[in-house]
Amino acid sequence: VVTIHFAEAVDPAGSAITVYDAKGQVVSQTAQVDANDLKTMHAPMTGDNAEVYLVVWHTVSATDGDPDVGAFSFFVNASGSSELAPKATATTPTTTTNASGTPAWLAALIGLLGLLVGAVGGVAWARSRVSASGAR
């Protein structure tokens, strides 16, 4: 389960959490707002032995209707060994990495998802501005 705690209560109708595995496949189920804490959402997920997961979320504030978006990744290693973990011996890496050690494909995926989430947030913001100006 991925659990996210937000600063404001969220509107379940406009809020979601999606978890992707290392291959870009969705591994989460529909996220739910915690009935006892409207600032918290939970998304059940099924791990598929991937080690890196990407979480993309978007919310609408239940207080003022403002949208928000974000993403983060996390690492799961149940076996204690990893292909992604640093090796004690000097070997040539098989994947291209950037300066932070993140595989290039993961950095590109996060960047693309960030652009997508930003575009969705921008459209939602623009629509709210048009709605607000039409109500005057």
Side-chain angles (χ1 to χ4, degrees):
V1 175
V2 171
T3 300
I4 303 176
H5 186 76
F6 298 97
E8 296 181 19
V10 298
D11 178 357
S15 304
I17 299 171
T18 306
V19 182
Y20 298 91
D21 68 4
K23 295 177 183 169
Q25 301 297 312
V26 174
V27 293
S28 60
Q29 299 168 12
T30 303
Q32 300 293 319
V33 174
D34 188 323
N36 297 320
D37 180 4
L38 299 179
K39 295 180 179 182
T40 302
M41 288 183 70
H42 306 282
M45 62 172 278
T46 8
D48 61 359
N49 293 328
E51 293 182 335
V52 178
Y53 294 90
L54 175 66
V55 179
V56 178
W57 58 267
H58 63 90
T59 61
V60 173
S61 169
T63 307
D64 55 18
D66 287 342
D68 202 359
V69 295
F72 62 90
S73 60
F74 66 93
F75 181 81
V76 175
N77 183 347
S79 70
S81 64
S82 172
E83 291 180 16
L84 299 177
K87 306 288 186 231
T89 59
T91 60
T92 304
T94 57
T95 59
T96 305
T97 59
N98 60 23
S100 69
T102 305
W105 65 267
L106 181 58
L109 177 63
I110 291 170
L112 288 173
L113 287 171
L115 287 172
L116 176 65
V117 168
V120 169
V123 168
W125 179 80
R127 285 185 179 174
S128 71
R129 300 292 292 170
V130 168
S131 300
S133 66
R136 291 183 188 165

